[in-house]
Amino acid sequence: MIGEVYADALAGESVEIEYVDGTRVPLEAARWFEPIAGDEELLARCSSPTLDIGSGPGRLTVALTRRGVRSLGIDITPRAVALTRRAGGFALLRDVFEDIPYSGRWATALLADGNIGIGGNPAALLHRVRHLLRPGGTVLAEVAPPGTRSRVDRIRLRRGDVVGQWFGWATVSADDIRRVAVAGGFAGADCWAVQGRWLARLH
């Protein structure tokens, strides 16, 4: 059901993120279809081949393909995969914890748009991603601004009376990304801000 409600958001339906305390905020899926300020900073640092984890409608996967960087998007929602392919990118319907092609050979893994929160356990996610990368490979992740509290929320997606399953989603602050990187098996992380977004390179 998570994927079904998310697919509705990609189709332009009004979908909200609901927290266990009843708070609801809009899921602004439309922003993932067009370039976002700061994307160039991510794209310019991607080496071939790049794995775009939680690629959504594929704006980054497609942009990498157009600039000659071999890239693959993975997403758990069929509509997201279809949108990526339609736009000219390569994508698979796949959970990052499932079998991933070229395991151990990816040069770069992208965790943009807060996708370091996937699974609600950033250290476990990074440990998994580290094994997908080749020796010397890097992760490029988007993190929350300094001063943000790192946390794990229980959330679900809601479209009117239609609701998805509860799941964990993590927020990682720029203040904590180095610690989380080390817990995930990386040596460290460099963090910087560009056009209002905070980005990190884990190595």
Side-chain angles (χ1 to χ4, degrees), residues 30-199:
R31 69 189 294 268
W32 297 323
F33 283 83
E34 300 294 335
I36 298 172
D39 278 358
E40 181 60 33
E41 290 286 332
L42 286 171
L43 297 169
R45 288 170 167 78
C46 290
S47 298
S48 187
T50 290
L51 180 66
D52 186 4
I53 300 167
S55 52
R59 81 177 190 282
L60 296 175
T61 304
V62 173
L64 287 169
T65 300
R66 289 175 176 167
R67 61 178 62 195
V69 176
R70 286 182 294 135
S71 57
L72 174 70
I74 58 171
D75 202 282
I76 62 169
T77 306
R79 183 174 183 85
V81 172
L83 287 167
T84 301
R85 292 174 176 173
R86 188 181 307 162
F90 295 96
L92 290 177
L93 183 67
R94 203 67 55 93
D95 186 301
V96 66
F97 292 100
E98 298 174 354
D99 289 337
I100 303 297
Y102 310 116
S103 179
R105 288 179 282 175
W106 295 99
T108 308
L110 272 177
L111 288 168
D113 304 323
N115 282 339
I116 196 168
I118 289 173
N121 186 332
L125 173 62
L126 291 175
H127 187 268
R128 166 59 175 154
V129 173
R130 185 175 65 83
H131 285 88
L132 295 174
L133 293 170
R134 68 191 186 194
T138 60
V139 173
L140 295 172
E142 186 168 351
V143 295
T148 305
R149 181 175 63 87
S150 295
R151 64 189 186 276
V152 177
D153 293 302
R154 295 292 292 175
I155 63 175
R156 65 182 178 183
L157 300 183
R158 172 183 287 273
R159 178 178 57 79
D161 293 331
V162 178
V163 295
Q165 301 168 342
W166 292 103
F167 60 96
W169 192 268
T171 297
V172 178
S173 171
D175 296 324
D176 298 320
I177 186 58
R178 292 177 182 84
R179 173 183 58 78
V180 173
V182 171
F186 290 85
D190 306 313
C191 201
W192 70 97
V194 55
Q195 295 181 293
R197 296 168 75 185
W198 280 84
L199 308 175

